[in-house]
Amino acid sequence: MNGDKSILSILVDNEPGVLSRITGLFSGRGYNIESLSVAETMEPGISRITMITRGDKHIVEQIKKQLNKLINVIKVLDFTEQRHVLRELALIKVHARAESRAEVLRIVDIFRCKIVDSGPDHYTLEVAADEDKLSALLNMLQPMGIKEIARTGSIALVREMH
């Protein structure tokens, strides 16, 4: 979907059905969620949902207001216009034949990846990166042949002001 990217961080009660109700607000308006990550916070019983969507700012504002009305939603934060740190974890299984192993290792070094598994003809890389760095890494690995990829979805926190 075209439009502006929105980065929402939603603090919720960690209870069954909460995620379904939240994502339903988006799908009910025909909005796709590009990235979704959910995990408990430091506070027991509270989870953080980090969600990225693209679309009309007016509709995103309406969705944020409706999210705030849901009983299990504690707080809705919009990181879109704020300085923030955003990362996504990816596991990438790439072909690593004898003739390309040195090149894969060079790329691993440049992008500060970790090799978490290897075999005679592959490496599995782990990388935590923002969207641009991850995209650049995938472009560099494409000629070697990406066998498989698993991505977590983005997580984000607002930067502290000094």
Side-chain angles (χ1 to χ4, degrees), residues 12-24:
V12 299
D13 294 326
N14 188 1
E15 293 181 7
V18 174
L19 182 61
S20 176
R21 285 192 293 281
I22 289 171
T23 57

Side-chain angles (χ1 to χ4, degrees), residues 6-150:
S6 294
I7 304 164
L8 302 178
S9 180
I10 307 160
L11 296 174
V12 299
D13 294 326
N14 188 1
E15 293 181 7
V18 174
L19 182 61
S20 176
R21 285 192 293 281
I22 289 171
T23 57
L25 288 176
F26 285 81
S27 62
R29 282 158 188 75
Y31 264 62
N32 186 43
I33 297 169
E34 288 186 7
S35 175
L36 179 68
S37 181
V38 184
E40 281 193 321
T41 63
M42 295 291 294
E43 193 171 331
I46 307 291
S47 289
R48 177 184 303 272
I49 298 171
T50 305
M51 182 181 296
I52 297 179
T53 188
R54 234 175 253 285
D56 179 80
K57 288 289 183 197
H58 177 70
I59 294 174
V60 173
E61 283 301 318
Q62 286 180 327
I63 291 171
K64 284 173 18 187
K65 287 177 185 170
Q66 290 183 328
L67 285 170
N68 275 310
K69 291 178 186 175
L70 293 176
I71 191 120
N72 296 112
V73 172
I74 298 162
K75 193 172 194 178
V76 178
L77 305 163
D78 188 342
F79 291 172
T80 309
E81 303 294 328
Q82 298 183 52
R83 289 175 27 97
H84 59 272
V85 177
L86 184 136
R87 295 291 182 270
E88 180 176 358
L89 178 68
L91 294 174
I92 307 161
K93 190 182 293 182
V94 63
H95 288 284
R97 294 176 196 89
E99 64 274 9
S100 64
R101 284 177 100 73
E103 179 66 7
V104 172
L105 292 174
R106 189 180 69 80
I107 293 168
V108 163
D109 188 49
I110 290 169
F111 285 90
R112 297 187 182 112
C113 303
K114 280 195 240 176
I115 296 174
V116 294
D117 186 42
S118 64
D121 66 344
H122 82 277
Y123 287 131
T124 300
L125 315 179
E126 174 188 305
V127 63
D130 63 25
E131 188 177 346
D132 292 339
K133 182 178 172 182
L134 187 53
S135 180
L137 172 63
L138 293 174
N139 286 336
M140 294 287 289
L141 292 172
Q142 202 67 47
M144 272 53 96
I146 296 171
K147 294 174 81 168
E148 200 173 354
I149 185 168

